[in-house]
Amino acid sequence: MSLANSTIATLRQRLLAKEISPRDIVTDVAKAIDTQNASIGAYLSWNLEKALKEADKADVSQPLGGIPIGIKDNMNVIGEPCTCGSRMLAENYTAPYDAGAIVKLRSAGAVPFGRLNMDEFAMGSSTENSALGVTRNPRDLERIPGGSSGGSAAAVAGNLAIATLGSDTGGSIRLPAALCGCVGLKPTYGRISRYGLVAFASSLDQIGPITKTVEDSAILLNHLCGKDARDSTSLDVSVPDFTSALGKDIKGLRIGLPKEYFISGIHAGVSAAVNAAIKKLEALGAIPVEISLPHTDVGVSTYYIIAPAEASANLARFDGVRYGHRSAAATDLMEHYMMSREEGFGPEVKRRILLGTYVLSSGYYDAYYLKAQRARTLIRQDFEQAFEKVDVIVSPTSPTPAHKLGALKDNPLAAYLEDIFTIPVNLAGLPAISVPCGTALEDGKSLPVGLQIIGKPLDEMTLIRVADAFEKA
Ligand code: GLN
């Protein structure tokens, strides 16, 4: 039997019972990649020999001892490529160190295995912005897996990985998890070190797990969180045992339903699945409460000022001198900068750099950037007020199920709207999880739908409690 379709929890038991070895797991995952990656395209690269060496050295008495974890290709793992889905880094960059999250995983015994495709520099929601290949949704190979962590979600959903790491700036863990039918958790901003995660928008970026079950998310989260002196935004707060939130009831818990999130324009199948999920939560004893998040309508526009502004600064380092592709055709210094960046970056990344540079430029700073920062404060205050009345907030993760490949390719604005329910969470720095909640029918296909559960700052425990109770029901 293949081990690649197992969960961390099951593999742990079998390892401890000595029925299997870490080498067996890595070998089976590699077999699944060999047979299926050509059609799904989740992985950009993988180094079996290195992973087997690490698996042979793994101590299975450790909490993640010998468990291979797939890594989005924007987190540094020493000695491995880290392309960010970009031509810019595809040719000549090898990570010289481990990211903070990878150090944590390793100290719990896990084996990082494989590099997962993504939208270039995490900008996108379909993985179609990768310069290095197409990733397909394992539930329907004609469709996108979502993004930007599309490779991470497709690998888990297609049983090409046990579990993976993604990163989420405006929805990039939750959206692909929802569209592929797996569990994706974005922790509170600052919970997990961003050291060694290639920065997109530093005030929004957060790493998190994509898994087959809520239990696996809790297990991984236990070994990802904690203060890292090398990331000044990482929080020095205690890390609870997140697995202690599993198997608890949710009686009396107040579930906020934001009226601005249940609007027309949402796919009918998505609405039906999410409404059924809310009924299920009620049947489990939760109390639905209508709430209002009045600044929801400015979330997307606020994000598309702040995120590109930060990206334009973060991507300045890719100039062919310090990092990145170097044009062979340049004849002087100015050409060197211009042509290296022209050749190295794809169209979406260029669009964001232009947008970001514009909103930060003198004369426009106050009108755009400063105003967006003020709107961000209002969005955060909306959540603060709502959380005085409720314990968690629920919504669809995405307004639609997975689109056909290419459907939004020439319409960036429509693609930006896919994140309407996930973006406010990043702007407010809150934790949120997407759990599968049924399917929506489109073109005769049953496509996965995700339920988003949003929590108070640092209250991942309640998210896991609700998500786990829902999943088990
Ligand atoms: N889709 C959003 C964007 O394109 C969010 C991406 C992300 O979370 N990395 O910016």
Side-chain angles (χ1 to χ4, degrees), residues 49-88:
E49 214 175 306
K50 181 167 177 254
L52 284 174
K53 264 192 206 137
E54 290 177 14
D56 287 342
K57 277 194 251 150
D59 171 0
V60 299
S61 70
Q62 285 191 286
L64 297 173
I67 305 286
I69 306 291
I71 311 295
K72 185 175 181 179
D73 211 10
N74 62 352
M75 292 169 221
N76 281 270
V77 173
I78 190 163
E80 300 200 4
C82 183
T83 68
C84 295
S86 181
R87 255 200 91 190
M88 197 49 122

Side-chain angles (χ1 to χ4, degrees), residues 67-149:
I67 305 286
I69 306 291
I71 311 295
K72 185 175 181 179
D73 211 10
N74 62 352
M75 292 169 221
N76 281 270
V77 173
I78 190 163
E80 300 200 4
C82 183
T83 68
C84 295
S86 181
R87 255 200 91 190
M88 197 49 122
L89 287 168
E91 301 153 5
N92 60 12
Y93 182 78
T94 302
Y97 65 95
D98 276 335
I102 303 296
V103 172
K104 286 265 183 199
L105 278 187
R106 282 198 206 276
S107 61
V111 177
F113 179 42
R115 311 292 309 172
L116 294 155
N117 199 15
M118 55 184 282
D119 285 302
E120 186 172 3
F121 286 102
M123 297 172 188
S125 39
S126 68
T127 311
E128 293 172 293
N129 294 338
S130 171
L132 306 177
V134 178
T135 301
R136 293 166 183 274
N137 191 320
R139 299 292 196 96
D140 178 355
L141 295 176
E142 300 293 292
R143 289 176 189 266
I144 58 164
S148 66
S149 313

Side-chain angles (χ1 to χ4, degrees), residues 209-292:
I210 298 184
T211 55
K212 291 165 192 161
T213 60
V214 176
E215 180 180 24
D216 275 7
S217 273
I219 294 173
L220 268 186
L221 201 59
N222 274 354
H223 305 290
L224 286 165
C225 295
K227 176 72 188 165
D228 180 349
R230 296 165 305 180
D231 169 7
S232 61
T233 64
S234 80
L235 295 169
D236 196 3
V237 291
S238 64
V239 180
D241 174 5
F242 294 105
T243 62
S244 69
L246 302 167
K248 296 259 158 69
D249 74 54
I250 56 165
K251 286 198 186 79
L253 221 69
R254 291 156 308 162
I255 308 265
L257 308 174
K259 63 174 193 237
E260 295 82 2
Y261 282 38
F262 292 87
I263 43 172
S264 64
I266 299 176
H267 186 283
V270 171
S271 285
V274 169
N275 287 332
I278 293 164
K279 285 274 171 304
K280 178 69 84 188
L281 292 171
E282 263 188 88
L284 292 170
I287 304 161
V289 180
E290 191 187 90
I291 56 162
S292 174

Side-chain angles (χ1 to χ4, degrees), residues 72 122-125 147-148 167-173 200 303-304 352 416 419 423:
K72 185 175 181 179
M123 297 172 188
S125 39
S148 66
S167 68
D168 190 313
T169 305
S172 279
I173 288 174
F200 163 12
Y303 172 89
Y304 277 97
R352 306 277 178 115
Y416 294 174
D419 295 317
I423 273 174

